[in-house]
Amino acid sequence: MKIKIAIDTDIPVVYKLMLEAFEEYRTLDVPSSALNESLETLQESFKNNSEKALLCSINGVPVGSCRFTLKEDALYFSRVSVTPTARGKGIAKAMLVWLEKYAYDNLIGKMECRVRVSLPKNISLYNSLGYIISKEEVVTNPNGILVNTVVMEKTLMNNVPL
């Protein structure tokens, strides 16, 4: 398994992986707004450096991606995407462990994400990695629809010098 920070030419692959992974959320009461994002919007967010992405490959085949942003006190990740055929192999966990090390190396003391309340499997995944629910919020998604979410966070120990 190889995990790396995506470069410009990887962004169409990151986009394709996200669409493939999020397709199952099309039939939710409130479909994921990820399915309406355009490749151009994603490319622009990388070009202006407001967002970065990980790309995970096995034997040279892309199987997972995750987007992230460094905030002042936290690394915020989103759109954790693993192709349906590659699930159950620890890919999402490996990407998150990679991101935790990246945050640690950049003296960021906390990891954060937002998860829909209606996706208990995702909440369980993050719980299994030591994330806790820090707050519940109703947010308006990019399609203008209210969605019940939880913010999950994990404090990274012993990485910020006093």
Side-chain angles (χ1 to χ4, degrees), residues 87-106:
R87 291 183 185 159
K89 298 176 182 166
I91 293 165
K93 285 186 179 183
M95 288 190 295
L96 293 174
V97 168
W98 193 101
L99 275 179
E100 287 176 18
K101 182 181 181 325
Y102 181 84
Y104 180 91
D105 290 347
N106 284 279

Side-chain angles (χ1 to χ4, degrees), residues 31-148:
S32 174
S33 59
L35 298 166
N36 296 329
E37 287 183 3
S38 71
L39 175 58
E40 294 74 24
T41 300
L42 186 55
Q43 287 171 319
E44 187 57 35
S45 73
F46 285 89
K47 195 179 294 178
N48 70 26
N49 211 26
S50 63
E51 200 171 24
K52 296 181 186 304
L54 287 186
L55 185 58
C56 178
S57 302
I58 296 178
N59 298 323
V61 177
V63 292
S65 67
C66 174
R67 289 157 53 182
F68 67 99
T69 304
L70 290 175
K71 296 159 72 173
E72 191 173 306
D73 66 337
L75 184 150
Y76 179 83
F77 64 90
S78 63
R79 305 291 197 231
V80 176
S81 305
V82 176
T83 60
T85 56
R87 291 183 185 159
K89 298 176 182 166
I91 293 165
K93 285 186 179 183
M95 288 190 295
L96 293 174
V97 168
W98 193 101
L99 275 179
E100 287 176 18
K101 182 181 181 325
Y102 181 84
Y104 180 91
D105 290 347
N106 284 279
L107 303 178
I108 301 290
K110 186 168 63 171
M111 300 281 293
E112 276 184 344
C113 67
R114 181 179 300 281
V115 186
R116 288 175 180 229
V117 171
S118 62
L119 299 175
K121 280 190 341 190
N122 294 5
I123 292 171
S124 291
L125 168 68
Y126 301 134
N127 275 147
S128 75
L129 291 168
Y131 289 77
I132 60 164
I133 294 173
S134 60
K135 60 182 150 183
E136 295 183 28
E137 293 179 328
V138 177
V139 298
T140 305
N141 78 1
N143 301 330
I145 302 169
L146 297 178
V147 181
N148 291 320

Side-chain angles (χ1 to χ4, degrees), residues 5 10 13-15 20 30-32 44 47 66 91 98 103 144 158:
I5 293 183
D10 295 324
V13 176
V14 168
Y15 180 72
E20 193 175 332
V30 179
S32 174
E44 187 57 35
K47 195 179 294 178
C66 174
I91 293 165
W98 193 101
N158 302 322

